[in-house]
Amino acid sequence: MTFEDYYRDNVTYISRVDPRLALIIDLVTAQAPASTLDIGCGRGFLLDLLARRGLTGLAGVDVYDDVTDERFDYVRADVTQALPIPDATFECVIAGEIIEHVPNPDDFLREIRRVLKPGGTLIVSTPNLVSWANRILVPLGVQPLGTETSSEISLGRRHRVLGQGNQVQGHLKVFTHRALGEILERYGFTVTQRLGVPAFFPKPIDRIDRLIAKRVAFASGLVYVAQAPTGPWPTPPAGRRHDDCGG
């Protein structure tokens, strides 16, 4: 099964405004970019909301064949491969809840920086592996939220309220708040904002989650805003071999 086949059959995009999406909408609207690309746009839910805010120059990319809307351009593509988009096309790129789905986040970020104009803005969101909930659950032997061991069903969660038996989302890479910042900086981005957002917890836990989300290191979800460099892109160093680390 290809990446495109998997995501055509396993719908992971949302069609309602949650706190994460509301924050992204506010961030993009405040910047008012002349051109914006939403990678993994689904059927254009976020683009529709941005258009209602008066933004133009909108575009989206995803795996579906039948997305059409006069308010934004749509490109059908496999986002794990090179995007069929010219260099330096967009002032803003949104990568909402997708970096954890791709097998090679490094290539993904290289493509984002390629299609961004110099000095352009990247807004990326992803679950936080070291969220407050995971700091409690993992010592109890519960599979960390945001991680998956099966390609079909969530396992190791013990209880239905924690997602046991749910359809999986297809998460391949999982980030801590620190790791997300480091991989962005590795490819020349300057992180300008680090924001936390709550997840989907039942009452009354949702109130606790919203309160803790104010502390990024413990938040359930992360939303980072980063600026692309205006000069040459850096060439990051290769990773060390394990046998070069001493010990």
Side-chain angles (χ1 to χ4, degrees):
M1 179 181 292
T2 68
F3 179 90
E4 293 179 85
D5 291 337
Y6 181 85
Y7 282 101
R8 273 194 296 266
D9 297 334
N10 186 22
V11 175
T12 59
Y13 61 84
I14 65 172
S15 297
R16 65 184 179 87
V17 179
D18 62 358
R20 174 190 64 86
L21 207 60
L23 176 59
I24 291 175
I25 292 168
D26 288 342
L27 289 169
V28 178
T29 302
Q31 293 198 13
S35 53
T36 301
L37 174 66
D38 182 13
I39 301 180
C41 68
R43 299 192 177 278
F45 182 69
L46 174 57
L47 293 169
D48 170 68
L49 296 173
L50 292 175
R52 295 186 187 189
R53 289 285 190 98
L55 271 70
T56 58
L58 300 171
V61 58
D62 215 313
V63 298
Y64 305 103
D65 298 315
D66 56 350
V67 178
T68 58
D69 195 302
E70 61 183 13
R71 295 167 302 170
F72 61 84
D73 295 326
Y74 176 78
V75 178
R76 180 193 176 281
D78 180 346
V79 301
T80 68
Q81 306 297 321
L83 298 175
I85 296 171
D87 295 356
T89 299
F90 294 98
E91 291 185 4
C92 178
V93 169
I94 304 168
E97 305 298 293
I98 190 169
I99 194 170
E100 68 273 13
H101 291 264
V102 298
N104 192 332
D106 302 82
D107 281 350
F108 182 65
L109 289 172
R110 290 185 185 102
E111 273 299 284
I112 288 176
R113 78 184 196 188
R114 182 185 66 78
V115 302
L116 265 175
K117 293 183 177 181
T121 299
L122 167 62
I123 300 175
V124 58
S125 71
T126 193
N128 181 19
L129 179 61
V130 292
S131 67
W132 69 272
N134 280 343
R135 293 174 192 239
I136 295 172
L137 295 172
V138 171
L140 298 176
V142 176
Q143 178 75 19
L145 304 180
T147 69
E148 298 166 351
T149 58
S150 165
S151 297
E152 299 178 358
I153 189 171
S154 291
L155 302 171
R157 299 283 169 72
R158 292 191 179 182
H159 305 290
R160 184 175 180 180
V161 70
L162 298 176
Q164 180 72 9
N166 285 358
Q167 173 185 312
V168 296
Q169 299 295 299
H171 291 182
L172 302 176
K173 306 287 186 180
V174 191
F175 296 83
T176 65
H177 61 288
R178 182 172 290 109
L180 180 61
E182 288 180 359
I183 197 170
L184 291 171
E185 291 165 359
R186 176 174 170 82
Y187 293 102
F189 291 95
T190 299
V191 179
T192 58
Q193 288 181 272
R194 292 174 168 86
L195 304 165
V197 288
F200 302 99
F201 285 103
K203 296 180 179 180
I205 300 175
D206 62 327
R207 297 181 181 179
I208 299 171
D209 190 37
R210 287 196 298 270
L211 180 64
I212 295 177
K214 297 177 182 179
R215 295 284 304 276
V216 176
F218 300 93
S220 293
L222 307 168
V223 176
Y224 281 20
V225 181
Q227 185 178 29
T230 56
W233 289 100
T235 301
R240 296 190 304 268
R241 288 178 55 87
H242 290 293
D243 54 12
D244 291 336
C245 295

Coordinates of all heavy atoms in Angstrom, one line a residue, residues 131-133 196-202 204-215 218-221:
S131 N 4.1 15.2 26.8 CA 3.0 16.0 27.4 C 2.8 15.5 28.8 O 3.3 14.5 29.3 CB 1.7 15.7 26.6 OG 1.3 14.3 26.7
W132 N 2.0 16.4 29.5 CA 1.7 16.0 30.9 C 1.1 14.7 31.1 O 1.4 13.9 32.0 CB 0.8 17.1 31.5 CG -0.6 17.1 31.0 CD1 -1.0 17.8 29.9 CD2 -1.7 16.4 31.5 NE1 -2.3 17.6 29.6 CE2 -2.8 16.7 30.6 CE3 -1.9 15.6 32.6 CZ2 -4.1 16.2 30.8 CZ3 -3.2 15.1 32.8 CH2 -4.2 15.4 31.9
A133 N 0.2 14.3 30.1 CA -0.5 13.1 30.2 C 0.4 11.9 30.0 O 0.4 10.9 30.8 CB -1.6 13.0 29.2
G196 N 1.7 26.1 23.1 CA 1.1 24.8 23.4 C -0.4 24.8 23.2 O -1.0 25.9 23.3
V197 N -1.0 23.7 22.8 CA -2.4 23.6 22.6 C -2.9 22.3 23.3 O -2.2 21.3 23.4 CB -2.8 23.6 21.1 CG1 -2.6 24.9 20.5 CG2 -2.0 22.5 20.4
P198 N -4.2 22.3 23.7 CA -4.8 21.1 24.3 C -5.1 20.1 23.3 O -5.2 20.3 22.1 CB -6.0 21.6 25.0 CG -6.4 22.8 24.2 CD -5.1 23.5 23.8
A199 N -5.4 18.9 23.8 CA -5.8 17.8 22.9 C -7.3 17.5 23.1 O -8.1 18.4 23.5 CB -5.0 16.5 23.2
F200 N -7.7 16.2 22.9 CA -9.2 15.8 23.0 C -9.3 15.0 24.2 O -9.2 13.8 24.2 CB -9.6 15.1 21.8 CG -9.4 15.8 20.5 CD1 -8.3 15.6 19.7 CD2 -10.3 16.8 20.1 CE1 -8.2 16.3 18.5 CE2 -10.2 17.5 18.9 CZ -9.1 17.2 18.1
F201 N -9.6 15.6 25.4 CA -9.9 14.8 26.6 C -11.3 15.1 27.1 O -11.9 16.2 26.9 CB -8.9 15.3 27.7 CG -7.5 14.8 27.6 CD1 -6.5 15.6 27.1 CD2 -7.2 13.5 27.9 CE1 -5.2 15.2 26.9 CE2 -5.9 13.0 27.7 CZ -4.9 13.9 27.3
P202 N -11.9 14.1 27.7 CA -13.3 14.3 28.2 C -13.3 15.2 29.4 O -12.2 15.4 30.1 CB -13.7 12.9 28.6 CG -12.4 12.1 28.9 CD -11.4 12.7 28.0
P204 N -13.9 16.2 33.3 CA -13.3 17.5 33.5 C -11.8 17.6 33.1 O -11.2 18.6 33.4 CB -13.5 17.7 35.0 CG -13.3 16.3 35.6 CD -13.9 15.4 34.5
I205 N -11.2 16.5 32.6 CA -9.8 16.5 32.3 C -9.5 17.5 31.2 O -8.4 18.1 31.2 CB -9.4 15.1 31.8 CG1 -9.7 14.0 32.9 CG2 -7.9 15.1 31.5 CD1 -9.4 12.6 32.4
D206 N -10.4 17.9 30.4 CA -10.1 18.9 29.3 C -9.8 20.2 29.9 O -9.0 21.0 29.4 CB -11.3 19.0 28.4 CG -12.6 19.5 29.1 OD1 -12.8 19.1 30.3 OD2 -13.4 20.2 28.5
R207 N -10.4 20.6 31.1 CA -10.0 21.8 31.8 C -8.6 21.8 32.2 O -7.9 22.8 32.1 CB -11.0 22.1 32.9 CG -12.4 22.2 32.5 CD -13.3 22.5 33.7 NE -14.7 22.6 33.3 CZ -15.7 22.8 34.2 NH1 -15.4 22.9 35.5 NH2 -17.0 22.9 33.8
I208 N -8.1 20.7 32.8 CA -6.8 20.6 33.2 C -5.8 20.7 32.0 O -4.8 21.4 32.1 CB -6.5 19.3 33.9 CG1 -7.4 19.2 35.2 CG2 -5.1 19.1 34.3 CD1 -7.4 17.8 35.8
D209 N -6.2 20.0 30.9 CA -5.4 20.0 29.7 C -5.2 21.5 29.2 O -4.1 21.9 28.7 CB -6.0 19.1 28.7 CG -5.2 18.9 27.5 OD1 -3.9 18.7 27.7 OD2 -5.7 18.7 26.4
R210 N -6.3 22.2 29.1 CA -6.3 23.6 28.6 C -5.4 24.5 29.5 O -4.6 25.3 29.0 CB -7.7 24.2 28.5 CG -8.5 23.6 27.4 CD -9.7 24.5 27.2 NE -10.6 24.6 28.3 CZ -11.6 23.8 28.5 NH1 -11.9 22.9 27.7 NH2 -12.4 24.0 29.6
L211 N -5.4 24.2 30.8 CA -4.6 25.0 31.7 C -3.1 24.7 31.5 O -2.3 25.6 31.4 CB -5.0 24.8 33.2 CG -4.3 25.5 34.2 CD1 -4.5 27.0 34.1 CD2 -4.7 25.1 35.6
I212 N -2.8 23.4 31.4 CA -1.4 23.0 31.3 C -0.8 23.4 30.0 O 0.4 23.6 29.8 CB -1.3 21.5 31.6 CG1 -1.7 21.1 33.0 CG2 0.1 21.0 31.3 CD1 -1.7 19.7 33.3
A213 N -1.7 23.5 28.9 CA -1.2 23.8 27.6 C -0.5 25.2 27.6 O 0.3 25.5 26.6 CB -2.4 23.9 26.6
K214 N -0.7 26.0 28.6 CA 0.0 27.3 28.6 C 1.5 27.1 28.8 O 2.3 28.0 28.6 CB -0.5 28.1 29.7 CG -2.0 28.5 29.5 CD -2.6 29.3 30.7 CE -4.1 29.6 30.4 NZ -4.6 30.4 31.6
R215 N 1.9 25.9 29.4 CA 3.3 25.5 29.5 C 3.7 24.6 28.4 O 3.3 23.4 28.4 CB 3.6 24.8 30.9 CG 3.3 25.7 32.1 CD 4.4 26.7 32.3 NE 5.7 26.0 32.5 CZ 6.1 25.5 33.6 NH1 5.4 25.6 34.7 NH2 7.3 25.0 33.7
F218 N 4.9 20.9 28.6 CA 3.9 19.9 29.1 C 2.7 19.8 28.3 O 1.8 19.0 28.6 CB 3.6 20.2 30.6 CG 4.7 20.2 31.5 CD1 5.4 21.4 31.8 CD2 5.2 19.1 32.1 CE1 6.5 21.4 32.7 CE2 6.2 19.1 33.0 CZ 6.9 20.2 33.3
A219 N 2.5 20.7 27.3 CA 1.3 20.7 26.5 C 1.1 19.5 25.7 O 2.0 18.8 25.3 CB 1.4 21.9 25.6
S220 N -0.2 19.1 25.5 CA -0.5 18.0 24.7 C -0.1 18.1 23.2 O 0.3 17.2 22.6 CB -2.0 17.7 24.8 OG -2.4 17.3 26.1
G221 N -0.3 19.4 22.7 CA 0.1 19.6 21.3 C 1.0 20.8 21.2 O 1.0 21.7 22.1

